[in-house]
Amino acid sequence: MQEPDDVIGAAWLARQYGIQPVMPLVVESRIAGRRSTDVGRPTTTERYVEAMRPPATLRGHLTFHLKHEVPHFELMSRLFTRCDPAELASWVADEPTGQYARRAAFLYEFFSGRQLPVPPGLGGSYHDAIDPRDLVGASTAQVVFNKRWRIRDNMPGTAAFCPMVVRSVAGEPALGLDVRALIHDLEVEFGTELLMRSAVWMTLRESRSSFEIEGEADKTDRIQRFADVLARRTGQGADAPLDEPALAGLQREILGQRTTIQRFGLRQSPVFIGESVRYQEIVHYVAPPQEDLAAMLEGLQVFLDRTRGQSPLMRSAVAAFGFVYIHPLADGNGRLHRFLINDVLRRDGVVQDPMILPVSSLITSDTAERRAYDRILDVVSQPLMRVLADSYRFVPTPIDYPDGISSNFVFEGAEVAHPVWRYLDLSQHVAYMADLVQRTIREDMLEASRYLRSHAQARAAIKDIVEMPDVQIDRVIRSVEANQGRLSGVLAREMPILDDPDLWQAIVTAVNQAFAVGPGTAAAEKEEDRRKPRP
C-alpha cells in the first residue's frame, strides 16, 4: 500500500491544505519505484521516481503542478483562499524572473480577486498563464499581455465563470470535428435544394423532441412556438443571447403569455433540478444563486469571445452545457440550452441558415440515448450533490420571490459549490457533443433526407397516374404507409376516384417502389444504418 506522502503536485496541495476537490483531478502524481503512466477517465495517474519529488512547500508542489500536470481550476481557487499570500509574495520576491512564480502570482490574483505586491526587479520573458497544449485557452488574437506579472493572459473566461476543457479528455477527434464537411457530404448526395427543403421539417422535429426531453411532447402549440423561435432567432444578433434583455426576449417568445412567470429574464429565486417521489423531494442538482447569474453569463460570453476561431463544436458544447449548469431562468432553461447548440454553430458558419441540427431528436430516439444525455449532465451534478447533501432543506412556509416563484427550498451551500459552478470541467461534455452532432448528421439527417427523396419520388409517380394537389397526394402516401396498402373508407369518401381498384393498386405500387426495401433503396439504407454498431 502506498503511503500518503507518495502524492505530489495537486494531490499533495489538496492534502496539505485540507482541500477535497469536488471534481476529479485531471492528473494525480505519485512517487514510485519507476516512471509510468496510467491513463484514466477522468483522472490519469502519473508515477515519478524519487528524484522528481518536489520540496515539501507550497512553491515546490505548485511549481510541479503548473509544470508537469494539467492545472485544475477548482483546486487552485480553493487553494488560494487557504494558503498564506505572504508565502506567495515571498516566492515571487525570491524568483522575480521565474515563470512559475509569476504564473502563480497571476493565477492567485485571477482566482482570488486580491493583489500581491510586485517585487522590484520583476522581469523575464512573457509566458502563457495556462499551457494551450493541455487546456483550451484564449485564441492568439484574444491573448492579453499582463504587464504586472509579464504573463500572457490566455484564460478563456473570467473569475466569475471560466470553464475548463482538457484536450486529452475531450479528445482531438472531438475538438477537430468538421461539422461543415459532414453537412457538405449530405449536400453532395441529396443536393442543396432537398437539404434546404428539409430544414423546416427538421426544425419542427427538433422542437418536438426538445419538449419530449422535458416530458411535454403533447404540447402542440408550444412545440410550434419553439420551432418558430428556432427558425427566426438562431444565429441572429451580434452575440449569443446571454445578456438579460436577449434572454428575456427569447424566454417570452418560447413560453408565451400563458405562464406563471411574472418577470422574464434572469430568475430572482433559487432553483433546483429534481423530482417528487411519494411526496418527498429528490434533488439532483442545485443551480447557482440568483445574485451570481449576470456575472456568470458574462463570463460565458467572454469564453465565446476569447475562443473565436477555435473548434465550433467545442464552443457550442461549452455554451450549451455552461448555460444549463448556470440555469439562469425560472423556466425555459432546457430549451435555451439546446437552442444554443445550433445558435453557436450557426454563428461560427458551419451550419447555414435555415438548417437546424435536430440533436434533441437523437437524444429522445431511445432510452439508451436519453440515459447517455442524463449521464453527461451527472458528470457535474452527482459529485456536487454528494458534498451538498446537508446544505439544503425544505421549509414549511414557501417564500414568495419577485419573479412570481413561490418556493420552500432553502440552500446554504453556495460557498462550497462556487468553485465548481465557476470552473466547470466540460471536457467530457465536448466529447459527448461531438458524438451527438456527428450521429445526428450521419444518422438522423441522413435518414430524413432519404425519406424526403423517396417521398418526392412517390409524389411524382402518383402525379403520373392521377392529377391531384400535393396536399392530397401527401395524405394518400401517409394512408398507404399507415394502412399497409389498403384503401381507407375516409380516403375513399373524400376522393371517390380512388375507388377504382386498378387506379388504387397503381398508386400503392408507385408508393411501395419509391420506399421499397431492396439493395440501394432508401429503406434498405435506413435499415443498414440502424444495424451498424455505434461508436
Side-chain angles (χ1 to χ4, degrees), residues 316-380:
S316 72
V318 171
F321 284 106
F323 182 90
V324 84
Y325 286 125
I326 295 172
H327 226 71
L329 308 176
D331 191 16
N333 292 284
R335 277 157 276 175
L336 263 295
H337 150 66
R338 291 181 288 276
F339 170 90
L340 284 170
I341 298 171
N342 276 287
D343 186 72
V344 174
L345 292 174
R346 176 80 59 80
R347 291 175 190 281
D348 282 4
V350 297
V351 176
Q352 300 299 318
D353 186 19
M355 185 177 295
I356 294 292
L357 303 188
V359 290
S360 299
S361 177
L362 184 57
I363 293 170
T364 59
S365 61
D366 58 44
T367 54
E369 293 291 353
R370 181 55 198 262
R371 282 198 300 269
Y373 177 70
D374 290 340
R375 280 198 302 270
I376 200 64
L377 293 172
D378 286 343
V379 166
V380 171

Side-chain angles (χ1 to χ4, degrees), residues 17 34-35 44 96 107 114-115 124 142 196 202 212 220 270 292 295 322 347 353 365 371 376 411 444 478 492:
Y17 289 91
R34 61 185 179 84
R35 180 75 177 92
T44 290
L107 291 168
R114 299 186 293 272
Q115 288 194 339
Q142 301 297 325
M196 290 300 104
M202 284 188 279
E212 285 180 25
T220 304
D292 292 350
R347 291 175 190 281
D353 186 19
S365 61
R371 282 198 300 269
I376 200 64
F411 176 62
D444 267 28
R478 287 196 300 270

Side-chain angles (χ1 to χ4, degrees), residues 79-395:
L79 172 66
F80 292 140
T81 65
R82 299 194 179 202
C83 70
D84 184 354
E87 193 173 351
L88 288 168
S90 175
W91 176 15
V92 77
D94 290 343
E95 303 175 21
T97 62
Q99 70 153 304
Y100 297 107
R102 289 184 287 120
R103 285 174 65 191
F106 169 84
L107 291 168
Y108 172 83
E109 293 187 350
F110 180 89
F111 287 112
S112 73
R114 299 186 293 272
Q115 288 194 339
L116 293 171
V118 178
L122 185 120
S125 302
Y126 277 83
H127 291 275
D128 289 326
I130 56 174
D131 191 334
R133 294 170 297 183
D134 293 331
L135 291 167
V136 167
S139 302
T140 303
Q142 301 297 325
V143 170
V144 176
F145 284 79
N146 180 288
K147 295 180 180 179
R148 180 177 173 82
W149 297 109
R150 296 183 66 81
I151 291 295
R152 287 193 292 268
D153 176 3
N154 64 339
M155 299 296 285
T158 66
F161 189 76
C162 189
M164 289 174 51
V165 177
V166 183
R167 291 187 177 278
S168 61
V169 177
E172 288 306 321
L175 293 168
L177 183 67
D178 192 338
V179 178
R180 186 188 287 108
L182 292 173
I183 294 173
H184 178 69
D185 289 344
L186 287 183
E187 193 173 15
V188 169
E189 181 174 355
F190 297 102
T192 304
E193 183 181 352
L194 185 142
L195 209 56
M196 290 300 104
R197 194 150 43 87
S198 70
V200 175
W201 184 81
M202 284 188 279
T203 300
L204 187 60
R205 182 174 178 179
E206 172 64 4
S207 177
R208 182 180 297 108
S209 299
S210 189
F211 277 91
E212 285 180 25
I213 291 174
E214 300 177 33
E216 300 180 13
D218 59 336
K219 307 295 185 181
T220 304
D221 57 333
R222 300 175 70 185
I223 290 169
Q224 186 60 56
R225 187 163 57 239
F226 185 47
D228 179 60
V229 171
L230 283 168
R232 289 186 299 100
R233 299 292 298 273
T234 300
Q236 298 301 307
D239 296 310
L242 296 174
D243 61 11
E244 178 150 28
L247 282 175
L250 274 172
Q251 186 187 31
R252 182 181 293 107
E253 290 187 42
I254 289 171
L255 298 182
Q257 296 305 314
R258 297 184 66 181
T259 174
T260 58
I261 303 299
Q262 295 180 7
R263 179 185 181 277
F264 293 107
L266 301 187
R267 57 180 165 82
Q268 297 177 315
S269 51
V271 68
F272 69 93
I273 311 302
E275 57 186 326
S276 294
V277 179
R278 292 186 177 180
Y279 306 105
Q280 182 172 349
E281 295 285 357
I282 306 298
V283 178
H284 298 307
Y285 175 72
V286 179
Q290 50 269 35
E291 58 268 20
D292 292 350
L293 302 177
M296 295 183 78
L297 288 170
E298 182 183 3
L300 182 54
Q301 182 61 62
V302 168
F303 180 94
L304 292 174
D305 292 340
R306 301 204 80 191
T307 59
R308 290 188 192 279
Q310 298 188 46
S311 162
L313 184 286
M314 176 273 295
R315 286 160 45 79
S316 72
V318 171
F321 284 106
F323 182 90
V324 84
Y325 286 125
I326 295 172
H327 226 71
L329 308 176
D331 191 16
N333 292 284
R335 277 157 276 175
L336 263 295
H337 150 66
R338 291 181 288 276
F339 170 90
L340 284 170
I341 298 171
N342 276 287
D343 186 72
V344 174
L345 292 174
R346 176 80 59 80
R347 291 175 190 281
D348 282 4
V350 297
V351 176
Q352 300 299 318
D353 186 19
M355 185 177 295
I356 294 292
L357 303 188
V359 290
S360 299
S361 177
L362 184 57
I363 293 170
T364 59
S365 61
D366 58 44
T367 54
E369 293 291 353
R370 181 55 198 262
R371 282 198 300 269
Y373 177 70
D374 290 340
R375 280 198 302 270
I376 200 64
L377 293 172
D378 286 343
V379 166
V380 171
S381 61
Q382 282 191 349
L384 180 60
M385 293 314 300
R386 279 197 290 268
V387 301
L388 297 181
D390 299 323
S391 300
Y392 61 85
R393 66 185 192 278
F394 293 91
V395 296

Side-chain angles (χ1 to χ4, degrees), residues 439 443 528-535:
R439 290 191 294 115
E443 295 176 17
E528 181 184 350
D529 278 346
R530 189 184 68 80
R531 293 176 181 274
K532 285 180 181 176
R534 291 175 179 171

